[in-house]
């Protein structure tokens, strides 16, 4: 038996991976291979380095939303507006930089949009691999390598299962960050703010303002979520993970870093519930 664990992409909702990892550890399920995209690559790198769930939870709790900002820099560019300092973060918390020195085999996923390929990274610098994997298109600057443009692994591999099957994993445990209810994608944070502003204006000026049903941001965000769902569902159907965990939590923003215990508990309970059915 060879165990593979897949950690999906999904920005701050990646906090849910921590409850998933904690539940697996309690059941003594130890991965032989970990595959991660985007936030899943960050969590996977920390776990593969030998840290347990409690140690990783402590890292993110100590960081919180205030200290998170020190790991990014803003600059207006045609390629993106954020330059993530993920390499600095990983240097602080992982004892080694090379894949070969990790305690567990790690696969980091990225996307080459020049050649239209999903990239499986298993050698060289873990720090540089994760930097490629978290390059959210339009937000974070991509990595240019050999004239190829490398962006977020979640674009083509939101829940990497194929790579675990290629590694001959006979049992795959997957943590997906796509919405549990696919037909109901709730308003985004920006839309909720917009709604609050509209209500305030109505109170002040005693007028009615129609509620906007669409914004550029919501169209892009929801489109990406739907694409992720379709890609995931195809891969799930084809590679059939032993358990697939999705969480009853909608999209999370940076404030999730200040409520880690709450989201870890939700994801932990959901994972334990599914593990008991095995």
């Amino acid at each position: 038996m060879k165990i593979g664990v897949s950690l999906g992409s999904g920005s701050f909702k990646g906090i849910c991976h921590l409850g998933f990892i904690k539940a697996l550890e309690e059941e003594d399920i130890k991965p032989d291979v970990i595959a991660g995209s985007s936030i899943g690559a960050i969590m996977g790198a920390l776990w593969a380095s030998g840290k347990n769930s409690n140690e990783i939870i402590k890292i993110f709790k100590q960081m919180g939303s205030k200290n998170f900002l020190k790991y990014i820099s803003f600059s207006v560019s045609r390629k993106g507006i954020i330059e993530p300092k993920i390499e600095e973060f990983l240097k602080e918390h992982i004892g080694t930089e090379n894949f070969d020195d990790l305690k567990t085999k790690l696969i980091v996923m990225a996307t080459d949009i020049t050649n239209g390929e999903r990239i499986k990274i298993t050698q060289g610098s873990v720090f540089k691999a994760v930097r490629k994997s978290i390059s959210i298109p339009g937000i974070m600057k991509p990595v240019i390598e050999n004239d190829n443009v490398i962006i977020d692994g979640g674009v083509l591999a939101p829940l990497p299962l194929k790579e675990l099957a290629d590694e001959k994993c006979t049992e795959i445990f997957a943590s997906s960050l796509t919405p549990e209810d696919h037909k109901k994608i709730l308003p985004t944070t920006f839309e909720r703010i917009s709604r609050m502003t509209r209500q305030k204006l109505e109170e002040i000026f005693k007028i009615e303002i129609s509620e906007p049903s669409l914004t550029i941001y919501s169209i892009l965000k929801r489109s990406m979520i739907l694409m992720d769902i379709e890609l995931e569902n195809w891969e799930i159907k084809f590679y059939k993970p032993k358990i697939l965990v999705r969480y009853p939590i909608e999209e999370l923003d940076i404030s999730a870093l200040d409520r880690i215990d709450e989201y870890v508990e939700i994801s932990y309970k959901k994972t334990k519930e599914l593990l008991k059915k095995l």
Side-chain angles (χ1 to χ4, degrees), residues 30-80:
K30 300 176 181 178
D32 296 292
V33 188
I34 301 167
S37 282
S38 200
I39 184 63
I42 296 175
M43 298 297 185
L46 291 167
W47 196 18
S49 73
K51 287 187 164 34
N52 62 38
S53 58
N54 288 329
E55 290 173 319
I56 303 172
I57 290 168
K58 184 178 179 181
I59 287 170
F60 283 96
K61 287 178 72 173
Q62 288 177 337
M63 178 170 61
S65 60
K66 292 181 180 179
N67 291 328
F68 172 80
L69 296 176
K70 78 177 186 178
Y71 296 109
I72 61 175
S73 61
F74 295 92
S75 62
V76 178
S77 165
R78 291 187 299 174
K79 298 176 183 176

Side-chain angles (χ1 to χ4, degrees), residues 151-170:
I151 62 168
D152 198 288
V155 172
L156 289 182
L159 187 68
L161 300 175
K162 177 185 182 298
E163 287 69 24
L164 295 174
D166 290 344
E167 291 287 330
K168 309 300 182 187
C169 292
T170 52

